[in-house]
Amino acid sequence: LEGCISFLRKETPEIVPDFPTGGIADVSEYNNGKRGGRVKCRARIEARKKNLLAITELPFSKTTTSLIDSIISANEKGKIKIQRVEDNTADVVEILVYLPSGVDAVTAEQALYAFTDCEVSISTNICVIENEKPHFYSAQDLLYLATEKTRELLKMELEIELTELEAKWHISSLEKIFIENRIYHQIEEIKDWEEVIATVDNGLTPFKSQLKREVTRDDILRLLEIKIK
């Protein structure tokens, strides 16, 4: 939304991705979302004790199960050294990684990023269908198009609302003229329906310059409904 506002102010926003699973993102190679760019996503790891690491946020596209499986697999292959893993995830993510004695927590954390799914690389490839053909855009281009489309839709909504309000104003003004100037008295003795409509139209003629649009036959029929009621 802030990016949309920047475009409307003729500014160029800097846009980077965000991820619903949290974690840490390195966007230095994002390349504005163009093909060939990439984002490195990391789990958030904190040292609870000398021999205990806690994973509290996941890298995008990973679950607690898949992340734990990758840690166990890396340990079995000798890539990392851990004692055991506990999954205490409930409302929030909490994966506890217990380290053997003698293993440095900082070194173990870097090994988790290097050899497990605690770090994943996501390639950027923004592709949309436009005029029935695929097109590749940067994040800024796509946001600009979305902003302009949203502005067009909002403008259409406001124009529809304005038309409805003008219609209400028009008919209420006609009703006021019809009643205050007693135009209804001019048709009380007339029997022919078309003559009634013509008489009302003639009665409104001196006041038509006060209106914002022409008086139609439907407008007059609406006034006659009020008279009948």
Side-chain angles (χ1 to χ4, degrees), residues 150-162:
T150 301
R151 179 160 60 177
E152 290 175 8
L153 291 173
L154 290 173
K155 182 181 178 182
M156 289 173 60
E157 289 179 359
L158 291 172
E159 288 174 344
I160 291 171
E161 184 179 357
L162 177 61

Side-chain angles (χ1 to χ4, degrees), residues 116-128:
T116 75
D117 287 344
C118 284
E119 177 178 299
V120 295
S121 180
I122 301 175
S123 297
T124 57
N125 189 12
I126 299 176
C127 180
V128 299

Side-chain angles (χ1 to χ4, degrees), residues 186-216:
Q186 302 175 23
I187 60 174
E188 290 180 346
E189 304 299 327
I190 301 176
K191 304 299 183 182
D192 182 74
W193 186 246
E194 292 300 325
E195 188 178 349
V196 168
I197 294 175
T199 302
V200 172
D201 189 38
N202 290 332
L204 294 171
T205 298
F207 309 98
K208 288 181 180 180
S209 60
Q210 302 174 19
L211 304 171
K212 293 185 178 181
R213 62 178 175 84
E214 294 182 359
V215 178
T216 65

Side-chain angles (χ1 to χ4, degrees), residues 19 25 28-29 33 60 70 72 79 86-87 98 107 127-128 160 177 179 181 195 198-199:
F19 302 100
S28 58
E29 299 179 33
F60 182 68
S70 75
I72 294 173
K79 301 288 187 180
E86 288 183 4
D87 186 4
Y98 291 87
T107 302
C127 180
V128 299
I160 291 171
I177 294 170
I179 294 171
N181 295 279
E195 188 178 349
T199 302

Side-chain angles (χ1 to χ4, degrees), residues 13-174:
E14 181 180 354
I15 306 163
V16 295
D18 192 12
F19 302 100
T21 54
I24 304 166
D26 177 359
V27 296
S28 58
E29 299 179 33
Y30 179 54
N31 195 27
N32 197 21
K34 297 177 182 178
R35 281 189 294 178
R38 65 174 183 163
V39 178
K40 292 180 182 178
C41 298
R42 285 185 165 188
R44 189 174 295 277
I45 303 175
E46 58 185 48
R48 294 279 175 87
K49 296 179 182 178
K50 182 172 64 175
N51 64 335
L52 177 61
L53 297 176
I55 300 172
T56 57
E57 295 178 13
L58 301 176
F60 182 68
S61 76
K62 298 301 174 181
T63 64
T64 54
T65 301
S66 66
L67 187 58
I68 290 172
D69 288 344
S70 75
I71 294 173
I72 294 173
S73 176
N75 181 63
E76 292 174 347
K77 294 176 181 178
K79 301 288 187 180
I80 60 174
K81 293 180 180 180
I82 65 169
Q83 192 175 61
R84 70 179 190 275
V85 181
E86 288 183 4
D87 186 4
N88 294 334
T89 300
D91 293 337
V92 295
V93 173
E94 186 180 67
I95 300 172
L96 301 180
V97 181
Y98 291 87
L99 307 175
S101 59
V103 175
D104 179 64
V106 175
T107 302
E109 179 180 338
Q110 295 304 315
L112 286 172
Y113 287 136
F115 301 113
T116 75
D117 287 344
C118 284
E119 177 178 299
V120 295
S121 180
I122 301 175
S123 297
T124 57
N125 189 12
I126 299 176
C127 180
V128 299
I129 303 300
E130 184 180 13
N131 298 325
E132 301 183 358
K133 293 181 180 180
H135 290 268
F136 297 93
Y137 287 102
S138 69
Q140 286 184 351
D141 292 338
L142 192 61
L143 183 60
Y144 175 78
L145 293 173
T147 302
E148 289 300 306
K149 186 64 175 178
T150 301
R151 179 160 60 177
E152 290 175 8
L153 291 173
L154 290 173
K155 182 181 178 182
M156 289 173 60
E157 289 179 359
L158 291 172
E159 288 174 344
I160 291 171
E161 184 179 357
L162 177 61
T163 300
E164 292 173 348
L165 291 173
E166 287 181 343
K168 290 181 180 179
W169 181 90
H170 178 73
I171 196 64
S172 63
S173 298
L174 283 177

